[in-house]
Amino acid sequence: MENLIPLLLLLVLYLVPELLKRRKNPKDYKYPDIPDNVPQPSHRPPIDIISKPASTPITDVSMEAPKSWVTSPKPAITMPAPVNVPHTTAADSPWQGKLSPQLIQNGLIFSEIIQPPRAYRPIWRRPK
């Protein structure tokens, strides 16, 4: 008897809405009719695109700055003397020409084999 109540509750809450949903026939969507020629309003005047006039830079300055704004001239900046750095070549790697894709693949496989099991290596590091 105590198992009957959850079973009836499951039946009422899950199966009945599913059965009612399947019983409905879905309506096919009907697209609205779109006329070929859409009439344009005749009472509106046509829109003229007017470009903005190009702004001219102001070249005529008739005002002078007040004497309180005048600052002392800045000292001339002198550049340091040029430094000659001798051209060096990159050191040749001891692995140059010795690595192949197959050798790298074998190295990855063996590194996973030699390491401790993954269960002992945490994925996320814990802050100390």
Side-chain angles (χ1 to χ4, degrees):
M1 186 65 179
E2 58 193 48
N3 291 337
L4 187 61
I5 293 174
L7 187 63
L8 287 174
L9 189 61
L10 176 79
L11 181 74
V12 169
L13 292 177
Y14 180 71
L15 292 177
V16 171
E18 284 294 320
L19 292 174
L20 291 175
K21 185 177 14 173
R22 290 182 185 172
R23 192 171 166 198
K24 283 187 192 177
N25 289 332
K27 295 180 181 177
D28 291 335
Y29 181 74
K30 183 181 177 189
Y31 290 99
D33 293 332
I34 300 173
D36 292 334
N37 296 329
V38 178
Q40 297 295 325
S42 60
H43 63 278
R44 287 181 138 183
I47 299 173
D48 293 334
I49 299 175
I50 302 171
S51 63
K52 295 181 180 178
S55 62
T56 57
I58 300 172
T59 56
D60 181 27
V61 179
S62 59
M63 275 184 53
E64 293 185 13
K67 291 187 179 187
S68 62
W69 291 1
V70 177
T71 59
S72 62
K74 294 182 181 177
I77 299 174
T78 58
M79 297 298 291
V83 178
N84 292 329
V85 178
H87 179 69
T88 59
T89 59
D92 291 333
S93 171
W95 294 101
Q96 188 69 31
K98 295 182 182 177
L99 289 178
S100 67
Q102 182 66 33
L103 191 62
I104 295 172
Q105 184 180 15
N106 284 342
L108 275 170
I109 292 170
F110 280 109
S111 70
E112 287 294 323
I113 292 172
I114 294 172
Q115 286 182 353
R118 187 69 189 131
Y120 294 139
R121 292 183 287 142
I123 295 175
W124 304 105
R125 302 266 182 203
R126 294 185 195 133
K128 293 181 178 181

PDB file of all heavy atoms in Angstrom, residues 6 8 39 47 58 73 79 81 86 88 100 120 128:
ATOM      1  N   PRO A   6       3.441   6.573  -4.273  1.00  0.00           N
ATOM      2  CA  PRO A   6       4.415   7.145  -5.223  1.00  0.00           C
ATOM      3  C   PRO A   6       4.167   6.731  -6.665  1.00  0.00           C
ATOM      4  O   PRO A   6       4.376   7.507  -7.589  1.00  0.00           O
ATOM      5  CB  PRO A   6       5.760   6.624  -4.733  1.00  0.00           C
ATOM      6  CG  PRO A   6       5.535   6.217  -3.331  1.00  0.00           C
ATOM      7  CD  PRO A   6       4.106   5.822  -3.216  1.00  0.00           C
ATOM      8  N   LEU A   8       1.180   6.077  -8.052  1.00  0.00           N
ATOM      9  CA  LEU A   8       0.064   6.875  -8.555  1.00  0.00           C
ATOM     10  C   LEU A   8       0.491   8.326  -8.801  1.00  0.00           C
ATOM     11  O   LEU A   8       0.061   8.951  -9.770  1.00  0.00           O
ATOM     12  CB  LEU A   8      -1.116   6.820  -7.568  1.00  0.00           C
ATOM     13  CG  LEU A   8      -1.877   5.500  -7.523  1.00  0.00           C
ATOM     14  CD1 LEU A   8      -2.917   5.543  -6.416  1.00  0.00           C
ATOM     15  CD2 LEU A   8      -2.520   5.194  -8.847  1.00  0.00           C
ATOM     16  N   PRO A  39       2.449  49.033 -51.932  1.00  0.00           N
ATOM     17  CA  PRO A  39       2.214  50.439 -52.288  1.00  0.00           C
ATOM     18  C   PRO A  39       3.038  51.360 -51.395  1.00  0.00           C
ATOM     19  O   PRO A  39       3.189  51.132 -50.206  1.00  0.00           O
ATOM     20  CB  PRO A  39       0.719  50.623 -52.051  1.00  0.00           C
ATOM     21  CG  PRO A  39       0.348  49.546 -51.084  1.00  0.00           C
ATOM     22  CD  PRO A  39       1.282  48.406 -51.343  1.00  0.00           C
ATOM     23  N   ILE A  47      13.070  62.003 -50.133  1.00  0.00           N
ATOM     24  CA  ILE A  47      14.145  62.378 -49.213  1.00  0.00           C
ATOM     25  C   ILE A  47      15.398  62.677 -50.031  1.00  0.00           C
ATOM     26  O   ILE A  47      15.848  61.865 -50.829  1.00  0.00           O
ATOM     27  CB  ILE A  47      14.420  61.233 -48.218  1.00  0.00           C
ATOM     28  CG1 ILE A  47      13.176  60.958 -47.395  1.00  0.00           C
ATOM     29  CG2 ILE A  47      15.594  61.565 -47.321  1.00  0.00           C
ATOM     30  CD1 ILE A  47      13.302  59.743 -46.502  1.00  0.00           C
ATOM     31  N   ILE A  58      40.831  76.146 -38.853  1.00  0.00           N
ATOM     32  CA  ILE A  58      40.940  77.556 -38.470  1.00  0.00           C
ATOM     33  C   ILE A  58      42.409  77.950 -38.538  1.00  0.00           C
ATOM     34  O   ILE A  58      43.248  77.386 -37.841  1.00  0.00           O
ATOM     35  CB  ILE A  58      40.386  77.780 -37.056  1.00  0.00           C
ATOM     36  CG1 ILE A  58      38.915  77.375 -37.013  1.00  0.00           C
ATOM     37  CG2 ILE A  58      40.571  79.215 -36.623  1.00  0.00           C
ATOM     38  CD1 ILE A  58      38.330  77.385 -35.630  1.00  0.00           C
ATOM     39  N   PRO A  73      61.235  78.356 -22.457  1.00  0.00           N
ATOM     40  CA  PRO A  73      61.525  77.371 -23.499  1.00  0.00           C
ATOM     41  C   PRO A  73      62.139  76.112 -22.887  1.00  0.00           C
ATOM     42  O   PRO A  73      62.914  76.169 -21.943  1.00  0.00           O
ATOM     43  CB  PRO A  73      62.505  78.088 -24.422  1.00  0.00           C
ATOM     44  CG  PRO A  73      63.071  79.188 -23.602  1.00  0.00           C
ATOM     45  CD  PRO A  73      62.033  79.552 -22.594  1.00  0.00           C
ATOM     46  N   MET A  79      70.414  63.321 -27.869  1.00  0.00           N
ATOM     47  CA  MET A  79      70.365  61.865 -27.976  1.00  0.00           C
ATOM     48  C   MET A  79      71.698  61.290 -27.516  1.00  0.00           C
ATOM     49  O   MET A  79      72.753  61.886 -27.736  1.00  0.00           O
ATOM     50  CB  MET A  79      70.090  61.452 -29.429  1.00  0.00           C
ATOM     51  CG  MET A  79      68.742  61.936 -29.942  1.00  0.00           C
ATOM     52  SD  MET A  79      67.352  61.265 -29.014  1.00  0.00           S
ATOM     53  CE  MET A  79      67.432  59.588 -29.495  1.00  0.00           C
ATOM     54  N   ALA A  81      74.954  58.793 -27.523  1.00  0.00           N
ATOM     55  CA  ALA A  81      75.807  58.346 -28.628  1.00  0.00           C
ATOM     56  C   ALA A  81      75.377  56.954 -29.068  1.00  0.00           C
ATOM     57  O   ALA A  81      74.950  56.128 -28.253  1.00  0.00           O
ATOM     58  CB  ALA A  81      77.257  58.328 -28.168  1.00  0.00           C
ATOM     59  N   PRO A  86      77.770  43.982 -31.682  1.00  0.00           N
ATOM     60  CA  PRO A  86      78.218  43.026 -32.703  1.00  0.00           C
ATOM     61  C   PRO A  86      77.115  42.017 -32.999  1.00  0.00           C
ATOM     62  O   PRO A  86      76.334  41.644 -32.124  1.00  0.00           O
ATOM     63  CB  PRO A  86      79.438  42.360 -32.056  1.00  0.00           C
ATOM     64  CG  PRO A  86      79.253  42.552 -30.596  1.00  0.00           C
ATOM     65  CD  PRO A  86      78.499  43.831 -30.434  1.00  0.00           C
ATOM     66  N   THR A  88      75.511  38.598 -33.475  1.00  0.00           N
ATOM     67  CA  THR A  88      75.779  37.246 -32.977  1.00  0.00           C
ATOM     68  C   THR A  88      74.841  36.272 -33.656  1.00  0.00           C
ATOM     69  O   THR A  88      73.722  36.619 -34.035  1.00  0.00           O
ATOM     70  CB  THR A  88      75.575  37.173 -31.453  1.00  0.00           C
ATOM     71  OG1 THR A  88      74.223  37.555 -31.157  1.00  0.00           O
ATOM     72  CG2 THR A  88      76.535  38.091 -30.718  1.00  0.00           C
ATOM     73  N   SER A 100      62.250  13.614 -34.344  1.00  0.00           N
ATOM     74  CA  SER A 100      61.273  13.303 -35.384  1.00  0.00           C
ATOM     75  C   SER A 100      59.912  13.184 -34.706  1.00  0.00           C
ATOM     76  O   SER A 100      59.833  12.987 -33.486  1.00  0.00           O
ATOM     77  CB  SER A 100      61.640  12.004 -36.092  1.00  0.00           C
ATOM     78  OG  SER A 100      61.521  10.918 -35.196  1.00  0.00           O
ATOM     79  N   TYR A 120      46.964   9.299  -8.305  1.00  0.00           N
ATOM     80  CA  TYR A 120      47.828   9.899  -7.293  1.00  0.00           C
ATOM     81  C   TYR A 120      48.268  11.309  -7.683  1.00  0.00           C
ATOM     82  O   TYR A 120      48.882  12.004  -6.882  1.00  0.00           O
ATOM     83  CB  TYR A 120      49.067   9.045  -7.066  1.00  0.00           C
ATOM     84  CG  TYR A 120      48.747   7.700  -6.461  1.00  0.00           C
ATOM     85  CD1 TYR A 120      49.391   6.560  -6.891  1.00  0.00           C
ATOM     86  CD2 TYR A 120      47.793   7.569  -5.460  1.00  0.00           C
ATOM     87  CE1 TYR A 120      49.105   5.328  -6.340  1.00  0.00           C
ATOM     88  CE2 TYR A 120      47.502   6.346  -4.907  1.00  0.00           C
ATOM     89  CZ  TYR A 120      48.161   5.221  -5.355  1.00  0.00           C
ATOM     90  OH  TYR A 120      47.884   4.003  -4.810  1.00  0.00           O
ATOM     91  N   LYS A 128      48.580  26.630  -1.328  1.00  0.00           N
ATOM     92  CA  LYS A 128      49.116  26.349   0.003  1.00  0.00           C
ATOM     93  C   LYS A 128      48.859  27.472   0.949  1.00  0.00           C
ATOM     94  O   LYS A 128      48.670  28.568   0.670  1.00  0.00           O
ATOM     95  CB  LYS A 128      50.627  26.103  -0.095  1.00  0.00           C
ATOM     96  CG  LYS A 128      50.906  24.839  -0.851  1.00  0.00           C
ATOM     97  CD  LYS A 128      52.404  24.583  -0.916  1.00  0.00           C
ATOM     98  CE  LYS A 128      52.684  23.279  -1.646  1.00  0.00           C
ATOM     99  NZ  LYS A 128      54.066  22.971  -1.731  1.00  0.00           N
TER     100      LYS A 128
END
